[in-house]
Amino acid sequence: MSRIKWMLFLGVLASGMMQYASAGSTGTIHFYGAIVEGGCNFKTGGNQLVSKCERGGAQVTEARRISTTNPLSFNLPLSLGHVTTQQVNNNPHLAIMTVSYN
């Protein structure tokens, strides 16, 4: 008899967990507020990556040398975030640049 109760308990527990798991995939998220500052702007050319960032009225421009042998990884000016690059298919002339903002 205790085995039947145990199986019943596990069945109820599992069905409750399934309802909880499916609840995360439905619903509406409301965003209130405004984006008051833009991100950084980037320009490339002549083996350089130029970043221009602004926060709180301060604007900083930095130039970084692009090397095909050393992928870039650096912090953005004004502590805004971090930039990393990763080569695609080991091709030194093709890379993905990821910008992560704080």
Side-chain angles (χ1 to χ4, degrees):
M1 189 73 164
S2 77
R3 183 177 177 165
I4 293 174
K5 287 181 183 178
W6 180 248
M7 294 299 282
L8 202 64
F9 171 74
L10 289 177
V12 170
L13 182 66
S15 69
M17 290 173 69
M18 292 303 279
Q19 287 177 340
Y20 179 74
S22 66
S25 62
T26 62
T28 303
I29 297 174
H30 297 278
F31 173 79
Y32 298 98
I35 299 173
V36 295
E37 293 181 335
C40 297
N41 293 317
F42 298 93
K43 290 185 181 179
T44 58
N47 290 340
Q48 275 195 333
L49 171 69
V50 178
S51 61
K52 185 183 288 188
C53 301
E54 184 176 344
R55 177 167 281 177
Q59 187 172 14
V60 177
T61 302
E62 287 186 356
R64 304 269 179 177
R65 185 176 180 282
I66 298 174
S67 169
T68 57
T69 56
N70 291 334
L72 288 176
S73 179
F74 62 91
N75 290 323
L76 290 172
L78 305 171
S79 300
L80 291 177
H82 190 74
V83 175
T84 57
T85 58
Q86 182 178 5
Q87 289 181 352
V88 177
N89 296 329
N90 293 322
N91 182 342
H93 302 289
L94 185 61
I96 297 173
M97 181 172 78
T98 305
V99 180
S100 302
Y101 290 100
N102 294 335

Coordinates of all heavy atoms in Angstrom, one line a residue:
M1 N 0.8 -1.2 0.0 CA 0.0 0.0 0.0 C 0.9 1.3 0.0 O 0.5 2.2 -0.7 CB -0.9 0.0 1.2 CG -2.0 1.0 1.2 SD -3.2 0.7 0.0 CE -4.4 1.7 0.5
S2 N 2.0 1.3 0.7 CA 2.8 2.4 0.7 C 3.5 2.7 -0.6 O 3.7 3.8 -1.0 CB 3.9 2.3 1.9 OG 4.9 1.5 1.5
R3 N 3.7 1.6 -1.4 CA 4.2 1.8 -2.7 C 3.3 2.5 -3.6 O 3.7 3.4 -4.4 CB 4.6 0.4 -3.3 CG 5.3 0.5 -4.6 CD 5.7 -0.8 -5.2 NE 6.3 -0.6 -6.5 CZ 7.0 -1.4 -7.1 NH1 7.2 -2.6 -6.6 NH2 7.4 -1.2 -8.3
I4 N 2.0 2.2 -3.5 CA 1.0 2.9 -4.3 C 0.9 4.4 -3.9 O 0.9 5.3 -4.8 CB -0.4 2.3 -4.2 CG1 -0.4 0.9 -4.8 CG2 -1.5 3.1 -4.8 CD1 -1.6 0.0 -4.6
K5 N 1.0 4.7 -2.6 CA 1.0 6.1 -2.2 C 2.2 6.8 -2.7 O 2.1 8.0 -3.1 CB 0.9 6.1 -0.7 CG -0.5 5.8 -0.1 CD -0.4 5.9 1.4 CE -1.8 5.5 2.0 NZ -1.8 5.5 3.5
W6 N 3.3 6.1 -2.6 CA 4.6 6.7 -3.1 C 4.5 7.1 -4.6 O 4.9 8.2 -5.0 CB 5.7 5.8 -2.8 CG 7.1 6.3 -3.2 CD1 7.9 5.9 -4.2 CD2 7.8 7.5 -2.7 NE1 9.0 6.6 -4.3 CE2 9.0 7.6 -3.4 CE3 7.5 8.4 -1.6 CZ2 9.9 8.6 -3.1 CZ3 8.4 9.4 -1.4 CH2 9.6 9.5 -2.1
M7 N 4.0 6.2 -5.4 CA 3.9 6.4 -6.8 C 2.9 7.5 -7.1 O 3.1 8.3 -8.0 CB 3.5 5.1 -7.6 CG 4.5 4.0 -7.5 SD 6.0 4.5 -8.2 CE 5.6 4.3 -9.9
L8 N 1.8 7.6 -6.4 CA 0.8 8.6 -6.5 C 1.5 10.0 -6.2 O 1.3 11.0 -6.9 CB -0.4 8.3 -5.6 CG -1.7 9.0 -6.0 CD1 -2.1 8.5 -7.3 CD2 -2.7 8.7 -4.9
F9 N 2.3 10.0 -5.1 CA 2.9 11.3 -4.7 C 3.9 11.7 -5.8 O 3.9 12.9 -6.1 CB 3.7 11.0 -3.4 CG 4.6 12.2 -3.0 CD1 4.0 13.4 -2.5 CD2 6.0 12.1 -3.1 CE1 4.8 14.4 -2.2 CE2 6.8 13.1 -2.8 CZ 6.2 14.3 -2.3
L10 N 4.7 10.8 -6.3 CA 5.6 11.2 -7.4 C 4.9 11.7 -8.6 O 5.3 12.6 -9.3 CB 6.5 10.0 -7.7 CG 7.6 9.6 -6.7 CD1 8.3 8.4 -7.1 CD2 8.5 10.8 -6.4
G11 N 3.7 11.1 -9.0 CA 3.0 11.5 -10.1 C 2.4 12.9 -9.9 O 2.5 13.7 -10.9
V12 N 1.9 13.2 -8.7 CA 1.4 14.6 -8.5 C 2.6 15.6 -8.5 O 2.4 16.7 -9.1 CB 0.7 14.6 -7.1 CG1 0.4 16.0 -6.7 CG2 -0.6 13.8 -7.2
L13 N 3.7 15.2 -7.9 CA 4.9 16.1 -7.9 C 5.3 16.3 -9.4 O 5.6 17.5 -9.7 CB 6.0 15.4 -7.1 CG 7.3 16.2 -7.0 CD1 7.0 17.5 -6.2 CD2 8.3 15.4 -6.3
A14 N 5.4 15.3 -10.2 CA 5.8 15.5 -11.6 C 4.9 16.4 -12.4 O 5.3 17.2 -13.1 CB 6.0 14.1 -12.2
S15 N 3.6 16.2 -12.2 CA 2.6 17.0 -12.9 C 2.7 18.5 -12.5 O 2.6 19.4 -13.3 CB 1.2 16.5 -12.7 OG 0.8 16.7 -11.4
G16 N 3.0 18.7 -11.2 CA 3.1 20.1 -10.7 C 4.4 20.7 -11.3 O 4.4 21.9 -11.7
M17 N 5.5 20.0 -11.4 CA 6.7 20.5 -12.0 C 6.5 20.8 -13.5 O 7.1 21.7 -14.0 CB 7.8 19.5 -11.8 CG 8.3 19.4 -10.3 SD 9.4 18.1 -10.0 CE 10.9 18.7 -10.8
M18 N 5.7 20.0 -14.2 CA 5.5 20.2 -15.6 C 4.7 21.5 -15.8 O 5.0 22.2 -16.7 CB 4.8 19.0 -16.2 CG 5.6 17.7 -16.3 SD 7.1 18.0 -17.2 CE 6.5 17.8 -18.8
Q19 N 3.8 21.8 -15.0 CA 3.0 23.0 -15.1 C 3.9 24.2 -14.8 O 3.8 25.2 -15.5 CB 1.8 23.0 -14.1 CG 0.7 22.1 -14.5 CD -0.4 22.1 -13.5 OE1 -0.2 22.5 -12.3 NE2 -1.6 21.7 -13.9
Y20 N 4.8 24.1 -13.8 CA 5.7 25.2 -13.5 C 6.7 25.4 -14.7 O 7.0 26.5 -15.0 CB 6.5 24.8 -12.2 CG 7.5 25.9 -11.8 CD1 7.0 27.1 -11.3 CD2 8.8 25.7 -12.0 CE1 7.9 28.1 -10.9 CE2 9.7 26.7 -11.7 CZ 9.2 27.9 -11.1 OH 10.1 28.9 -10.8
A21 N 7.2 24.3 -15.3 CA 8.1 24.5 -16.4 C 7.5 25.1 -17.6 O 8.1 25.9 -18.3 CB 8.7 23.1 -16.8
S22 N 6.2 24.8 -17.9 CA 5.6 25.4 -19.1 C 5.1 26.8 -18.8 O 4.9 27.6 -19.7 CB 4.4 24.5 -19.5 OG 3.4 24.6 -18.5
A23 N 5.0 27.2 -17.5 CA 4.5 28.6 -17.2 C 5.6 29.6 -17.6 O 5.2 30.7 -17.9 CB 4.2 28.7 -15.7
G24 N 6.8 29.3 -17.7 CA 7.9 30.2 -18.1 C 7.9 30.6 -19.5 O 8.5 31.5 -19.9
S25 N 7.2 29.8 -20.4 CA 7.2 30.1 -21.8 C 6.0 30.9 -22.3 O 5.9 31.1 -23.5 CB 7.3 28.7 -22.6 OG 6.2 28.0 -22.3
T26 N 5.2 31.3 -21.4 CA 4.0 32.1 -21.8 C 4.0 33.4 -21.0 O 4.7 33.5 -20.0 CB 2.7 31.3 -21.5 OG1 2.6 31.0 -20.1 CG2 2.7 30.0 -22.3
G27 N 3.2 34.3 -21.4 CA 3.0 35.5 -20.7 C 3.5 36.7 -21.4 O 4.0 36.6 -22.6
T28 N 3.4 37.9 -20.8 CA 3.8 39.1 -21.4 C 4.8 39.9 -20.5 O 4.5 39.9 -19.3 CB 2.6 40.0 -21.6 OG1 1.7 39.3 -22.5 CG2 2.9 41.3 -22.3
I29 N 5.8 40.4 -21.0 CA 6.8 41.2 -20.3 C 6.6 42.7 -20.7 O 6.6 43.0 -21.9 CB 8.2 40.8 -20.5 CG1 8.4 39.3 -20.1 CG2 9.2 41.7 -19.8 CD1 9.8 38.8 -20.4
H30 N 6.3 43.5 -19.7 CA 6.2 44.9 -20.0 C 7.4 45.7 -19.6 O 8.0 45.5 -18.6 CB 5.0 45.5 -19.2 CG 3.7 44.9 -19.6 ND1 3.0 45.3 -20.7 CD2 3.0 43.9 -19.1 CE1 1.9 44.6 -20.8 NE2 1.9 43.7 -19.8
F31 N 7.9 46.6 -20.5 CA 9.1 47.4 -20.3 C 8.6 48.8 -20.0 O 7.9 49.4 -20.9 CB 10.1 47.3 -21.4 CG 11.2 48.3 -21.3 CD1 12.3 48.0 -20.5 CD2 11.2 49.5 -22.0 CE1 13.3 48.8 -20.4 CE2 12.3 50.3 -21.9 CZ 13.3 50.0 -21.1
Y32 N 9.0 49.4 -18.9 CA 8.7 50.8 -18.6 C 10.0 51.5 -18.5 O 10.9 51.1 -17.8 CB 7.9 50.9 -17.3 CG 6.5 50.2 -17.4 CD1 6.4 48.9 -16.9 CD2 5.5 50.8 -18.1 CE1 5.1 48.3 -17.0 CE2 4.3 50.2 -18.2 CZ 4.1 48.9 -17.7 OH 2.9 48.3 -17.8
G33 N 10.1 52.7 -19.1 CA 11.3 53.5 -19.0 C 11.8 53.9 -20.4 O 11.0 53.9 -21.4
A34 N 13.0 54.3 -20.5 CA 13.5 54.8 -21.7 C 15.0 54.5 -21.8 O 15.7 54.5 -20.8 CB 13.3 56.3 -21.8
I35 N 15.5 54.3 -23.0 CA 16.9 54.2 -23.2 C 17.4 55.7 -23.4 O 17.0 56.3 -24.4 CB 17.3 53.3 -24.4 CG1 16.7 51.9 -24.1 CG2 18.7 53.3 -24.7 CD1 16.8 51.0 -25.3
V36 N 18.2 56.2 -22.5 CA 18.6 57.6 -22.6 C 19.9 57.8 -23.2 O 20.3 59.0 -23.4 CB 18.5 58.2 -21.2 CG1 17.0 58.2 -20.7 CG2 19.4 57.5 -20.2
E37 N 20.7 56.8 -23.3 CA 22.1 57.0 -23.9 C 22.3 55.8 -24.9 O 21.9 54.7 -24.6 CB 23.2 56.9 -22.8 CG 23.1 58.1 -21.9 CD 24.3 58.1 -20.9 OE1 24.7 57.0 -20.6 OE2 24.6 59.1 -20.4
G38 N 22.8 56.2 -26.0 CA 23.1 55.2 -27.0 C 24.4 54.4 -26.7 O 25.1 54.7 -25.7
G39 N 24.6 53.4 -27.5 CA 25.9 52.6 -27.4 C 27.0 53.3 -28.0 O 27.0 54.5 -28.4
C40 N 28.1 52.6 -28.2 CA 29.3 53.1 -28.8 C 29.2 53.0 -30.3 O 28.5 52.1 -30.8 CB 30.6 52.4 -28.3 SG 30.9 52.6 -26.5
N41 N 29.9 53.8 -31.0 CA 30.0 53.7 -32.5 C 31.4 53.2 -32.8 O 32.4 53.6 -32.2 CB 29.8 55.1 -33.2 CG 28.4 55.6 -33.0 OD1 27.4 54.9 -33.1 ND2 28.3 56.9 -32.6
F42 N 31.4 52.3 -33.8 CA 32.7 51.7 -34.3 C 32.9 51.9 -35.7 O 32.0 51.8 -36.5 CB 32.7 50.2 -34.0 CG 32.5 49.9 -32.5 CD1 31.3 49.6 -32.0 CD2 33.7 49.8 -31.7 CE1 31.2 49.3 -30.6 CE2 33.5 49.5 -30.3 CZ 32.3 49.3 -29.8
K43 N 34.2 52.2 -36.1 CA 34.6 52.4 -37.5 C 35.8 51.6 -37.7 O 36.7 51.6 -36.8 CB 34.8 53.8 -37.9 CG 33.5 54.6 -38.0 CD 33.8 56.0 -38.5 CE 32.5 56.8 -38.5 NZ 32.7 58.2 -38.9
T44 N 36.0 50.9 -38.8 CA 37.2 50.2 -39.1 C 37.8 50.7 -40.4 O 37.0 51.1 -41.3 CB 36.9 48.6 -39.2 OG1 36.0 48.4 -40.3 CG2 36.4 48.1 -37.9
G45 N 39.1 50.6 -40.5 CA 39.7 50.9 -41.8 C 41.2 51.1 -41.5 O 41.6 51.6 -40.5
G46 N 42.0 50.7 -42.5 CA 43.5 50.9 -42.3 C 44.1 50.2 -41.1 O 44.9 50.8 -40.4
N47 N 43.6 49.0 -40.9 CA 44.1 48.2 -39.7 C 43.8 48.9 -38.4 O 44.6 48.7 -37.4 CB 45.6 47.9 -39.9 CG 45.9 46.9 -40.9 OD1 45.0 46.2 -41.4 ND2 47.1 46.8 -41.4
Q48 N 42.7 49.6 -38.3 CA 42.4 50.3 -37.1 C 40.9 50.1 -36.8 O 40.1 50.0 -37.7 CB 42.6 51.8 -37.1 CG 44.0 52.2 -36.7 CD 44.1 53.7 -36.5 OE1 43.3 54.5 -37.0 NE2 45.0 54.1 -35.7
L49 N 40.6 50.0 -35.5 CA 39.2 50.0 -35.0 C 39.1 51.2 -34.1 O 39.8 51.4 -33.1 CB 38.9 48.8 -34.2 CG 37.5 48.7 -33.5 CD1 36.4 48.7 -34.5 CD2 37.5 47.6 -32.5
V50 N 38.2 52.2 -34.5 CA 38.0 53.4 -33.8 C 36.7 53.3 -33.0 O 35.6 53.1 -33.7 CB 38.0 54.6 -34.7 CG1 37.8 55.9 -33.9 CG2 39.4 54.7 -35.4
S51 N 36.7 53.4 -31.7 CA 35.5 53.4 -30.9 C 35.2 54.8 -30.4 O 36.1 55.5 -29.9 CB 35.6 52.4 -29.8 OG 36.6 52.7 -28.9
K52 N 33.9 55.2 -30.5 CA 33.5 56.5 -30.0 C 32.4 56.3 -29.0 O 31.3 55.8 -29.4 CB 33.1 57.4 -31.1 CG 32.8 58.9 -30.6 CD 32.3 59.7 -31.8 CE 33.4 60.1 -32.7 NZ 33.1 61.1 -33.7
C53 N 32.6 56.6 -27.7 CA 31.6 56.3 -26.7 C 31.2 57.6 -26.0 O 32.1 58.5 -25.8 CB 32.1 55.3 -25.7 SG 32.5 53.7 -26.4
E54 N 30.0 57.7 -25.5 CA 29.5 58.8 -24.8 C 28.7 58.4 -23.6 O 27.9 57.5 -23.7 CB 28.6 59.7 -25.7 CG 28.2 61.0 -25.0 CD 27.4 61.9 -25.9 OE1 27.5 61.7 -27.2 OE2 26.8 62.8 -25.4
R55 N 28.9 59.0 -22.5 CA 28.1 58.7 -21.3 C 28.1 60.0 -20.4 O 29.2 60.5 -20.1 CB 28.6 57.5 -20.5 CG 27.8 57.3 -19.2 CD 28.0 56.1 -18.5 NE 27.3 55.0 -19.2 CZ 27.3 53.7 -18.8 NH1 28.1 53.4 -17.8 NH2 26.7 52.8 -19.5
G56 N 26.9 60.4 -20.0 CA 26.8 61.6 -19.1 C 27.4 62.8 -19.7 O 28.0 63.7 -18.9
G57 N 27.4 63.0 -21.0 CA 28.0 64.2 -21.6 C 29.5 64.1 -21.9 O 30.0 64.9 -22.6
A58 N 30.1 63.1 -21.4 CA 31.6 62.9 -21.7 C 31.7 62.0 -23.0 O 31.0 61.0 -23.0 CB 32.3 62.3 -20.5
Q59 N 32.5 62.4 -23.9 CA 32.7 61.6 -25.1 C 34.2 61.3 -25.2 O 35.1 62.1 -25.1 CB 32.3 62.4 -26.3 CG 32.3 61.6 -27.6 CD 31.6 62.3 -28.8 OE1 31.4 63.5 -28.7 NE2 31.4 61.6 -29.8
V60 N 34.5 60.0 -25.5 CA 35.8 59.5 -25.6 C 36.0 58.7 -26.9 O 35.1 57.9 -27.2 CB 36.2 58.6 -24.4 CG1 37.6 58.1 -24.5 CG2 36.1 59.4 -23.1
T61 N 37.0 59.0 -27.6 CA 37.3 58.3 -28.8 C 38.7 57.6 -28.6 O 39.6 58.2 -28.2 CB 37.4 59.2 -30.0 OG1 36.2 59.9 -30.1 CG2 37.7 58.5 -31.3
E62 N 38.7 56.3 -29.0 CA 39.9 55.5 -28.9 C 40.2 54.7 -30.2 O 39.2 54.2 -30.8 CB 39.9 54.5 -27.7 CG 40.0 55.1 -26.3 CD 40.0 54.1 -25.2 OE1 39.9 52.8 -25.5 OE2 40.2 54.5 -24.1
A63 N 41.4 54.6 -30.6 CA 41.8 53.8 -31.7 C 42.6 52.6 -31.3 O 43.5 52.8 -30.5 CB 42.6 54.7 -32.7
R64 N 42.3 51.5 -31.9 CA 43.0 50.2 -31.6 C 43.5 49.7 -32.9 O 42.8 49.7 -33.9 CB 42.1 49.2 -30.9 CG 41.4 49.7 -29.7 CD 42.2 49.3 -28.5 NE 41.5 49.8 -27.3 CZ 42.0 49.6 -26.1 NH1 43.1 49.0 -25.9 NH2 41.3 50.1 -25.1
R65 N 44.7 49.1 -32.8 CA 45.3 48.5 -34.0 C 44.7 47.1 -34.2 O 44.6 46.4 -33.2 CB 46.8 48.4 -33.9 CG 47.5 47.9 -35.1 CD 49.0 47.9 -34.9 NE 49.7 47.4 -36.0 CZ 49.8 46.1 -36.4 NH1 49.3 45.2 -35.6 NH2 50.5 45.7 -37.4
I66 N 44.3 46.8 -35.4 CA 43.7 45.5 -35.7 C 44.9 44.6 -36.2 O 45.6 45.0 -37.2 CB 42.6 45.6 -36.8 CG1 41.5 46.4 -36.2 CG2 42.1 44.2 -37.2 CD1 40.4 46.7 -37.2
S67 N 45.0 43.5 -35.7 CA 46.1 42.5 -36.1 C 45.4 41.2 -36.5 O 44.5 40.7 -35.8 CB 47.0 42.3 -34.9 OG 47.9 41.2 -35.2
T68 N 45.8 40.7 -37.6 CA 45.3 39.4 -38.1 C 45.8 38.2 -37.2 O 45.2 37.1 -37.3 CB 45.6 39.1 -39.5 OG1 47.0 39.2 -39.7 CG2 44.9 40.2 -40.4
T69 N 46.9 38.4 -36.5 CA 47.5 37.3 -35.7 C 47.0 37.4 -34.3 O 46.9 36.3 -33.6 CB 49.0 37.4 -35.7 OG1 49.4 38.7 -35.2 CG2 49.5 37.2 -37.1
N70 N 46.6 38.5 -33.7 CA 46.1 38.6 -32.4 C 44.7 39.2 -32.3 O 44.5 40.4 -32.6 CB 47.0 39.6 -31.5 CG 48.4 38.9 -31.3 OD1 48.5 37.7 -31.3 ND2 49.4 39.8 -31.1
P71 N 43.7 38.4 -32.0 CA 42.4 38.9 -32.0 C 42.3 40.0 -30.9 O 43.0 39.9 -29.9 CB 41.5 37.7 -31.6 CG 42.4 36.5 -32.0 CD 43.8 37.0 -31.8
L72 N 41.4 41.0 -31.1 CA 41.2 42.0 -30.1 C 40.4 41.6 -28.9 O 39.5 40.8 -29.0 CB 40.4 43.2 -30.7 CG 41.2 44.0 -31.8 CD1 40.2 45.1 -32.3 CD2 42.3 44.8 -31.1
S73 N 40.8 42.1 -27.8 CA 40.0 42.0 -26.5 C 40.4 43.2 -25.7 O 41.5 43.3 -25.2 CB 40.3 40.7 -25.8 OG 39.6 40.6 -24.6
F74 N 39.4 44.1 -25.4 CA 39.7 45.3 -24.6 C 38.4 45.8 -24.0 O 37.3 45.5 -24.4 CB 40.4 46.3 -25.5 CG 39.5 46.8 -26.7 CD1 38.7 47.9 -26.5 CD2 39.5 46.2 -27.9 CE1 37.9 48.4 -27.6 CE2 38.8 46.7 -28.9 CZ 37.9 47.8 -28.8
N75 N 38.6 46.7 -23.0 CA 37.5 47.3 -22.3 C 37.2 48.6 -23.1 O 38.0 49.3 -23.6 CB 37.9 47.7 -20.9 CG 38.0 46.5 -20.0 OD1 37.2 45.5 -20.2 ND2 38.9 46.5 -19.1
L76 N 35.9 48.9 -23.1 CA 35.4 50.2 -23.8 C 35.8 51.3 -22.9 O 35.9 51.2 -21.7 CB 33.9 50.1 -24.0 CG 33.4 49.1 -25.0 CD1 31.9 49.1 -25.0 CD2 33.9 49.6 -26.4
P77 N 35.9 52.5 -23.5 CA 36.1 53.7 -22.7 C 35.0 54.0 -21.7 O 33.9 53.5 -21.9 CB 36.2 54.8 -23.8 CG 36.3 54.2 -25.1 CD 35.8 52.8 -24.9
L78 N 35.3 54.7 -20.7 CA 34.3 55.1 -19.7 C 33.7 53.9 -19.0 O 32.6 54.0 -18.4 CB 33.2 56.0 -20.3 CG 33.7 57.3 -21.1 CD1 32.5 57.9 -21.8 CD2 34.3 58.2 -20.1
S79 N 34.4 52.8 -19.0 CA 33.9 51.6 -18.3 C 32.5 51.1 -18.8 O 31.7 50.7 -18.0 CB 33.9 51.7 -16.8 OG 35.2 52.0 -16.4
L80 N 32.3 51.3 -20.1 CA 31.0 51.0 -20.6 C 30.8 49.5 -20.9 O 29.6 49.0 -21.0 CB 30.7 51.8 -21.9 CG 30.5 53.3 -21.8 CD1 30.4 53.9 -23.1 CD2 29.3 53.6 -20.9
G81 N 31.8 48.8 -21.1 CA 31.7 47.3 -21.4 C 33.0 46.8 -21.9 O 34.1 47.3 -21.6
H82 N 32.9 45.7 -22.7 CA 34.1 44.9 -23.1 C 33.8 44.5 -24.6 O 32.7 44.2 -25.0 CB 34.3 43.7 -22.2 CG 35.5 43.0 -22.5 ND1 36.7 43.5 -22.0 CD2 35.8 41.9 -23.1 CE1 37.7 42.7 -22.4 NE2 37.2 41.7 -23.0
V83 N 34.9 44.5 -25.3 CA 34.9 44.0 -26.7 C 35.8 42.8 -26.9 O 36.9 42.8 -26.4 CB 35.4 45.2 -27.7 CG1 35.5 44.7 -29.1 CG2 34.5 46.4 -27.6
T84 N 35.3 41.8 -27.6 CA 36.1 40.6 -27.9 C 35.9 40.3 -29.4 O 34.9 40.6 -29.9 CB 35.8 39.4 -27.1 OG1 34.4 39.1 -27.3 CG2 36.0 39.6 -25.6
T85 N 36.9 39.7 -30.0 CA 36.8 39.2 -31.3 C 37.2 37.8 -31.4 O 38.1 37.3 -30.6 CB 37.7 40.0 -32.3 OG1 39.0 40.0 -31.9 CG2 37.2 41.5 -32.4
Q86 N 36.6 37.1 -32.3 CA 37.0 35.6 -32.5 C 37.0 35.3 -34.0 O 36.1 35.7 -34.7 CB 35.9 34.8 -31.8 CG 36.2 33.3 -31.9 CD 35.1 32.5 -31.1 OE1 34.1 33.1 -30.6 NE2 35.3 31.2 -31.0
Q87 N 38.1 34.7 -34.4 CA 38.2 34.3 -35.8 C 37.2 33.3 -36.2 O 36.8 32.5 -35.4 CB 39.6 33.8 -36.1 CG 40.7 34.9 -36.0 CD 42.1 34.3 -36.4 OE1 42.2 33.1 -36.5 NE2 43.0 35.2 -36.5
V88 N 36.7 33.4 -37.5 CA 35.7 32.5 -38.0 C 36.5 31.4 -38.9 O 37.2 31.8 -39.8 CB 34.7 33.2 -38.9 CG1 33.7 32.2 -39.5 CG2 33.9 34.2 -38.0
N89 N 36.3 30.2 -38.6 CA 37.0 29.1 -39.3 C 38.5 29.3 -39.5 O 39.0 29.0 -40.5 CB 36.3 28.9 -40.7 CG 34.9 28.5 -40.6 OD1 34.5 27.8 -39.7 ND2 34.1 28.9 -41.5
N90 N 39.1 29.8 -38.4 CA 40.6 30.0 -38.4 C 41.0 30.9 -39.6 O 42.2 30.9 -40.0 CB 41.4 28.7 -38.4 CG 41.1 28.0 -37.1 OD1 41.1 28.6 -36.1 ND2 41.0 26.6 -37.2
N91 N 40.2 31.8 -40.1 CA 40.5 32.7 -41.2 C 40.9 34.0 -40.5 O 40.1 34.7 -39.9 CB 39.3 32.9 -42.1 CG 39.6 33.8 -43.2 OD1 40.5 34.6 -43.2 ND2 38.7 33.8 -44.2
P92 N 42.2 34.4 -40.6 CA 42.6 35.6 -40.0 C 42.0 36.9 -40.5 O 42.1 38.0 -39.9 CB 44.1 35.7 -40.2 CG 44.3 34.8 -41.4 CD 43.2 33.8 -41.4
H93 N 41.3 36.8 -41.7 CA 40.7 38.0 -42.3 C 39.2 38.1 -42.0 O 38.5 39.0 -42.6 CB 41.0 38.0 -43.8 CG 42.4 38.0 -44.1 ND1 43.2 39.1 -43.8 CD2 43.2 37.1 -44.5 CE1 44.5 38.8 -44.1 NE2 44.5 37.6 -44.6
L94 N 38.6 37.1 -41.2 CA 37.2 37.1 -41.0 C 37.0 36.8 -39.5 O 37.5 35.8 -38.9 CB 36.6 35.9 -41.8 CG 35.1 35.8 -41.7 CD1 34.4 37.1 -42.2 CD2 34.6 34.6 -42.5
A95 N 36.3 37.7 -38.8 CA 36.2 37.6 -37.4 C 34.8 38.1 -36.9 O 34.2 38.9 -37.6 CB 37.2 38.4 -36.6
I96 N 34.4 37.7 -35.8 CA 33.1 38.1 -35.2 C 33.5 39.0 -34.0 O 34.3 38.6 -33.1 CB 32.3 37.0 -34.7 CG1 31.8 36.1 -35.8 CG2 31.1 37.5 -33.9 CD1 31.1 34.9 -35.4
M97 N 33.0 40.2 -34.0 CA 33.3 41.2 -32.9 C 32.0 41.2 -32.0 O 30.9 41.5 -32.4 CB 33.6 42.6 -33.4 CG 33.9 43.5 -32.3 SD 34.5 45.1 -32.8 CE 33.0 45.9 -33.3
T98 N 32.2 40.9 -30.7 CA 31.1 41.0 -29.7 C 31.3 42.1 -28.7 O 32.4 42.2 -28.1 CB 31.1 39.6 -28.9 OG1 31.0 38.5 -29.8 CG2 29.9 39.6 -28.0
V99 N 30.3 43.0 -28.6 CA 30.4 44.1 -27.7 C 29.4 43.8 -26.6 O 28.2 43.7 -26.8 CB 30.0 45.4 -28.4 CG1 30.1 46.6 -27.5 CG2 30.9 45.6 -29.6
S100 N 29.9 43.8 -25.3 CA 29.1 43.6 -24.2 C 29.1 44.9 -23.4 O 30.1 45.3 -22.9 CB 29.6 42.4 -23.3 OG 29.7 41.2 -24.1
Y101 N 27.9 45.4 -23.2 CA 27.7 46.7 -22.4 C 27.4 46.4 -21.0 O 26.7 45.4 -20.7 CB 26.6 47.6 -23.0 CG 27.0 48.1 -24.4 CD1 26.5 47.6 -25.5 CD2 27.8 49.3 -24.4 CE1 26.8 48.1 -26.8 CE2 28.1 49.8 -25.7 CZ 27.6 49.2 -26.8 OH 28.0 49.8 -28.0
N102 N 27.9 47.2 -20.1 CA 27.6 47.1 -18.6 C 26.3 47.7 -18.4 O 25.8 48.6 -19.0 CB 28.6 47.8 -17.8 CG 30.0 47.1 -17.9 OD1 30.1 46.0 -18.2 ND2 31.0 47.9 -17.6

